[in-house]
């Protein structure tokens, strides 16, 4: 599979979680301690908006509400906009500037996939949905995160807590969440 196909699978999975949210679920707490479900989805939409800036094809995406009065529709539109940027001819091969430095454009695709998997797990966990998300992609994402962080300590107040133990029956996405310091809030 290509990186863009991986993006499509991860985006579809998260979009399905978002579009199936009931009105009473938007305020549920998540494993991201300071964020409820709506804040997690807004973070993902904001990340989708940042793609154009990082690709050099759009302005910076300021902090704020990216969901408005129709959060599921706004999120779906943000995914489509990000995909359009990521599918642009030549993007995968050219160099782009991200918060992690100058990288090949395909790295933007991997960034979104990894974000969708991590925060898709947050959404699934918060709402009681299955956290068994895309095992092959979750396994690859865990490998990428392990290479990036290794055993280095995580900074207090950072986006990821210390690695937690994953149970022997943990899914690939559960192992990814545990590595990123996520503690389940449901069940």
């Amino acid at each position: 599979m290509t990186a863009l196909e991986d993006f499509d699978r991860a985006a579809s999975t998260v979009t399905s979680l978002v579009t199936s949210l009931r009105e009473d679920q938007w305020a549920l707490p998540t494993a991201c301690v300071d964020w409820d479900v709506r804040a997690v989805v807004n973070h993902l939409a904001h990340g989708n908006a940042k793609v154009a800036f990082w690709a050099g094809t759009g302005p910076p995406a300021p902090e704020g509400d990216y969901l408005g009065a129709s959060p599921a529709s706004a999120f779906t539109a943000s995914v489509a906009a990000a995909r359009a940027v990521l599918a642009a001819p030549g993007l995968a091969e050219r160099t782009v500037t991200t918060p992690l430095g100058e990288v090949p454009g395909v790295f933007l695709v991997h960034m979104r996939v990894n974000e969708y998997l991590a925060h898709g797990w947050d959404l699934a966990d918060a709402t009681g949905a299955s956290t068994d998300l895309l095992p092959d992609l979750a396994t690859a994402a865990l490998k990428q995160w392990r290479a990036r962080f290794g055993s280095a300590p995580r900074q207090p107040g950072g986006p990821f807590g210390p690695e937690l133990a994953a149970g022997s029956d943990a899914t690939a996405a559960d192992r990814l969440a545990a590595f990123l310091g996520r503690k389940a809030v449901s069940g």
Side-chain angles (χ1 to χ4, degrees), residues 74-119:
F75 177 75
T76 301
S78 79
V79 170
R83 190 192 191 287
V85 171
L86 296 173
L91 174 70
E93 295 81 24
R94 69 179 170 82
T95 300
V96 298
T97 303
T98 73
L100 302 174
E102 293 199 355
V103 294
V106 71
F107 188 80
L108 291 177
V109 179
H110 296 299
M111 283 176 61
R112 297 315 306 144
V113 169
N114 289 349
E115 281 279 303
Y116 289 158
L117 290 168
H119 292 303

Side-chain angles (χ1 to χ4, degrees), residues 130-186:
S130 173
T131 58
D132 191 9
L133 308 175
L134 303 165
D136 59 323
L137 294 182
T139 298
L142 178 57
K143 183 177 177 182
Q144 291 169 6
W145 284 109
R146 283 192 188 285
R148 180 172 168 204
F149 288 130
S151 60
R154 317 265 171 87
Q155 298 300 319
F160 307 109
E163 181 176 2
L164 301 174
S168 60
D169 61 341
T171 68
D174 292 338
R175 288 191 301 275
L176 172 63
F179 179 76
L180 297 175
R182 301 291 207 275
K183 183 177 179 186
V185 295
S186 70

Side-chain angles (χ1 to χ4, degrees), residues 14-73:
V14 173
T15 299
S16 179
L17 287 167
V18 171
T19 58
S20 67
L21 287 169
R22 297 184 319 262
E23 191 62 38
D24 63 318
Q25 292 179 309
W26 288 94
L28 290 174
T30 70
C32 295
V33 179
D34 295 330
W35 290 346
D36 62 12
V37 166
R38 182 183 170 92
V40 169
V41 176
N42 189 66
H43 170 73
L44 287 170
H46 182 222
N48 289 338
K50 289 179 181 179
V51 169
F53 176 68
W54 292 330
T57 61
E63 296 292 327
D65 179 19
Y66 283 81
L67 301 179
S70 300
S73 296

